[in-house]
Amino acid sequence: FKEMATHTSPTDVSRTLVKDILKKQDNVVTTDSTAPLSEAFSKILQQHISSVPVFSTGENRYSSFIDVLDITIFVVSLLEKHSGDYEKVKELFSAATCGDIKELQSSNRNWSGNFLDNVHDTDTIKRAMNIMVNMVNIHRLPTFTLTGELFGVLSQSDIIEVIAANIKLFPIANKTVKDLGLGIKEVVSVGRNEPLKNAFQKIKDHTISGIAVVNGNGTFAGSISASDIKVIGENASGLSKLEEPVGGFTQSKKTVTVTPECSIQQVFEKFSKERAHRGFVVDQSSSVVGVITLIDLLELILNYI
């Protein structure tokens, strides 16, 4: 990332250009719509990333993304269809193409491939924010030069980092989570002793990227996200791990938590530091009472720029 410029107002922050926060990425990891899904998943695993842009040979352009949520939904859908037959699911996973995922996206999520050629390196982050909040489950946007060359991938976390560095300029910096009514979404959770497959089933059913993990008494114990689907390994050879308890996959993970009394400045700083996709709101008894997503924060900031 580039060194951030000095800003003087929220409006000034909103005028930051994409190219001002992203360096041109010469080796963007991509895939092709005709490529095996297992190949795209291998790239995600090996590069420690969460998604790859997909080039459509038929449309001759980057037409979509494949991300860990797509792969989670695909795997769970296969398990549902084939009654948990891991060998059959492994066989079908190995035979699937990236194009199969695009068909699944069309049937499971509000999706518009046209957005992928809309963001340029000379666009403002405000424009990118508006696109992100108006699309469903769009966490990253491929960005292009005006000549159509792929410039890089802009994530919600990249934008949050810019906002966090300048949050003191915003009039809501000292307002609390409670003051602004953040974190009032229903919290989807799974018990720490339940099998991992139950967590992924809930992620698929609710089409969300992560859920809370709770102890038997309802207190917060961590989180599971779609990124954890990586546990099945290349070619889905580790599907049997889905039978293991959820709690075993949360011990080494950093999860952002906030209280209703946390200031917005504190929230942005936590999200930026951990590059988190969500933060769980916990009360004094450590019970989960809400969840805040990156989209919630982007929507909030758009009201002040």
Side-chain angles (χ1 to χ4, degrees), residues 222-291:
S223 67
I224 286 291
S225 72
S227 288
D228 293 309
I229 197 66
K230 295 176 183 179
V231 73
I232 68 172
E234 295 186 28
N235 300 313
S237 57
L239 281 168
S240 61
K241 290 186 177 181
L242 299 184
E243 299 293 338
E244 297 180 17
V246 168
F249 297 91
T250 63
Q251 296 172 356
S252 61
K253 293 177 63 178
K254 291 183 178 180
T255 302
V256 167
T257 58
V258 300
T259 67
E261 291 72 37
C262 276
S263 71
I264 297 306
Q265 180 176 337
Q266 290 172 318
V267 172
F268 271 87
E269 288 173 348
K270 284 191 172 189
F271 270 75
S272 178
K273 180 181 178 180
E274 301 296 341
R275 289 186 70 84
H277 290 176
R278 71 202 64 79
F280 293 95
V281 184
V282 295
D283 63 17
Q284 292 180 339
S285 64
S286 295
S287 295
V288 189
V289 295
V291 60

Side-chain angles (χ1 to χ4, degrees), residues 70-111:
D70 296 315
I71 293 171
T72 299
I73 291 174
F74 184 67
V75 169
V76 173
S77 296
L78 291 178
L79 287 171
E80 289 174 332
K81 186 174 182 180
H82 299 283
S83 305
D85 184 339
Y86 287 155
E87 286 303 314
K88 184 64 175 179
V89 170
K90 178 181 175 182
E91 175 189 335
L92 293 172
F93 186 89
S94 297
T97 67
C98 293
D100 294 331
I101 287 287
K102 187 169 184 180
E103 292 181 14
L104 187 67
Q105 290 167 338
S106 299
S107 62
N108 281 274
R109 295 153 70 182
N110 296 325
W111 189 270

Side-chain angles (χ1 to χ4, degrees), residues 45-56:
L45 291 172
Q46 293 166 11
Q47 300 296 322
H48 305 290
I49 54 180
S50 298
S51 62
V52 289
V54 180
F55 186 83
S56 171

